[in-house]
Amino acid sequence: MAKLTVGKTVEGLGEYLRTQRRQAQMSLRQLAEKSEVSNPYLSQIERGLRRPSAEVLQQIAKALQISAESLYVRAGILDLDESGSRMVENAIALDPQLTERQKTALLDIYRSFVGTDVVRDEELAEVVTEANQEEA
């Protein structure tokens, strides 16, 4: 039963990444170059065939200019914190009516108001990586 849930999580992540890539008006090849992840591997992630590591998710998030944490949640690596500032950040990142430039500006302003910064994503990636290594 757990395997079925993981499969759906990975498929959901792939659909989410495809949507984010298209909203950024990037081809799969362009995302591969920008994220330094191979084109075939990205294709497999988008089709739900592979579950990427935290490091790969972070590279993809940077290339798409979205929150790495939102990808960790979609991948099932982290649980969504319902009460934190990340809900606001995720809502901004997921809003299809905003351009990438508008999303970046809103996130910068919001983070300046609540006192968070981009370093949290990098620190979070380290924590997630350590947790994944302990599970293996």
Side-chain angles (χ1 to χ4, degrees), residues 14-65:
E15 291 171 19
Y16 176 72
L17 284 175
R18 183 179 298 115
T19 301
Q20 292 300 311
R21 178 178 57 78
R22 288 180 177 162
Q23 284 182 355
Q25 298 178 344
M26 262 189 229
S27 69
L28 194 61
R29 184 167 283 135
Q30 289 170 324
L31 180 58
E33 286 178 20
K34 204 168 183 181
S35 65
E36 298 180 352
V37 175
S38 76
N39 193 16
Y41 189 58
L42 276 176
S43 176
Q44 291 174 347
I45 293 169
E46 281 194 1
R47 290 181 290 144
L49 302 175
R50 297 280 183 203
R51 182 175 184 211
S53 67
E55 292 86 7
V56 169
L57 287 174
Q58 185 174 17
Q59 288 172 245
I60 294 169
K62 283 182 182 179
L64 291 172
Q65 297 180 349

Side-chain angles (χ1 to χ4, degrees), residues 5-135:
T5 304
V6 170
K8 287 184 179 182
T9 302
V10 173
E11 288 173 14
L13 171 66
E15 291 171 19
Y16 176 72
L17 284 175
R18 183 179 298 115
T19 301
Q20 292 300 311
R21 178 178 57 78
R22 288 180 177 162
Q23 284 182 355
Q25 298 178 344
M26 262 189 229
S27 69
L28 194 61
R29 184 167 283 135
Q30 289 170 324
L31 180 58
E33 286 178 20
K34 204 168 183 181
S35 65
E36 298 180 352
V37 175
S38 76
N39 193 16
Y41 189 58
L42 276 176
S43 176
Q44 291 174 347
I45 293 169
E46 281 194 1
R47 290 181 290 144
L49 302 175
R50 297 280 183 203
R51 182 175 184 211
S53 67
E55 292 86 7
V56 169
L57 287 174
Q58 185 174 17
Q59 288 172 245
I60 294 169
K62 283 182 182 179
L64 291 172
Q65 297 180 349
I66 60 176
S67 163
E69 186 176 51
S70 68
L71 293 184
Y72 297 153
V73 170
R74 293 276 178 168
I77 296 172
L78 287 180
D79 292 329
L80 182 61
D81 179 2
E82 296 294 336
S83 63
S85 64
R86 287 299 185 180
M87 280 190 66
V88 174
E89 292 183 14
N90 289 340
I92 292 169
L94 293 172
D95 192 328
Q97 296 177 326
L98 298 173
T99 66
E100 291 305 309
R101 185 173 181 213
Q102 290 169 329
K103 289 177 185 180
T104 301
L106 281 172
L107 286 170
D108 287 344
I109 292 167
Y110 178 74
R111 287 173 177 161
S112 73
F113 283 15
V114 297
T116 59
D117 57 13
V118 179
V119 176
R120 280 184 68 192
D121 286 341
E122 293 171 4
E123 291 172 355
L124 185 60
E126 289 177 24
V127 170
V128 170
T129 301
E130 290 173 8
N132 283 340
Q133 289 173 349
E134 288 175 4
E135 285 182 12

